[in-house]
């Protein structure tokens, strides 16, 4: 209700899928960052390095598409990794593209951070329960599939 006693058209906004997913994501990110702190990688950095360990060499644009991340946000996240020598950024096949690759130091940092990630992951699965966790992964994958790549809704 608003100040005049009329229902507000915004009351349902507490059910906003975007707000609630982002809120949960921020809470989970904080939890992973805190748990992974001894490994000297944040959860988001760990995820980027894991992806690079799989693809080996990728353009920044394709990596941003794979991670469903805005290219400028990804670039901002790559800078500290490059500064620490964990990744190598170079010019791609043409002057318009940049490639990114994991360095040997990046592989070591990833291996060092893995046990901390495993601790965080295990705690999440234990707290949610295996069945609920699997259901969550399925639902999140479905959401990603439904909405990744969309520029705007009709």
């Amino acid at each position: 209700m608003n100040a005049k006693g009329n229902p507000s058209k915004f009351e349902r906004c507490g059910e906003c899928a975007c707000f609630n997913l982002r809120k949960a994501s921020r809470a989970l990110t904080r939890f992973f960052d805190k748990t992974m702190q001894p490994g000297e990688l944040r959860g988001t950095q760990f995820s980027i390095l894991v992806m690079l360990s799989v693809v080996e060499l990728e353009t920044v644009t394709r990596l941003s598409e794979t991670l469903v991340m805005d290219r400028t946000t990804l670039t901002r996240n790559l800078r500290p990794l490059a500064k620490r020598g964990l990744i190598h950024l170079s010019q791609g096949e043409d002057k318009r593209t940049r490639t990114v690759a994991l360095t040997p130091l990046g592989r070591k940092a990833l291996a060092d951070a893995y046990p901390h990630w495993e601790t965080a992951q295990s705690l999440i699965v234990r707290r949610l329960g295996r069945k609920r966790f699997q259901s969550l992964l399925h639902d999140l994958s479905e959401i990603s599939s439904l909405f990744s790549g969309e520029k705007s809704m009709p």
Side-chain angles (χ1 to χ4, degrees):
M1 297 262 181
N2 64 18
K4 296 181 181 180
N6 297 323
S8 168
K9 65 181 176 182
F10 300 113
E11 283 179 356
R12 289 193 44 236
C13 291
E15 299 172 4
C16 176
C18 182
F19 169 76
N20 283 289
L21 278 170
R22 290 180 61 89
K23 181 180 173 185
S25 177
R26 286 189 298 271
L28 203 58
T29 298
R30 280 189 196 137
F31 172 75
F32 268 84
D33 286 350
K34 183 179 178 186
T35 307
M36 294 180 65
Q37 193 171 19
E40 298 183 9
L41 283 178
R42 301 184 70 167
T44 51
Q45 293 173 326
F46 181 83
S47 297
I48 291 168
L49 295 184
V50 165
M51 185 59 64
L52 287 172
S53 76
V54 172
V55 298
E56 306 228 354
L57 177 72
E58 190 60 271
T59 66
V60 173
T61 299
R62 292 241 338 152
L63 186 60
S64 72
E65 290 167 357
T66 301
L67 294 169
V68 191
M69 249 178 138
D70 182 74
R71 192 174 186 279
T72 56
T73 301
L74 177 59
T75 300
R76 212 173 27 253
N77 280 277
L78 292 175
R79 281 189 200 122
L81 296 173
K83 189 174 182 179
R84 288 177 56 192
L86 305 181
I87 61 167
H88 178 70
L89 290 164
S90 58
Q91 187 172 323
E93 291 181 15
D94 65 48
K95 292 182 181 184
R96 296 173 297 163
T97 61
R98 293 192 50 134
T99 59
V100 58
L102 193 60
T103 64
L105 188 59
R107 289 190 188 286
K108 181 179 179 340
L110 188 56
D112 291 346
Y114 181 80
H116 305 291
W117 172 86
E118 198 169 37
T119 297
Q121 183 75 4
S122 295
L123 284 168
I124 294 295
V125 173
R126 192 172 331 128
R127 288 178 184 177
L128 286 175
R130 170 64 61 188
K131 186 176 179 180
R132 191 169 162 205
F133 178 73
Q134 290 300 322
S135 178
L136 174 65
L137 286 182
H138 176 269
D139 291 346
L140 292 172
S141 178
E142 189 125 338
I143 289 168
S144 294
S145 294
L146 288 170
F147 299 103
S148 65
E150 288 197 19
K151 301 297 180 206
S152 63
M153 296 298 293

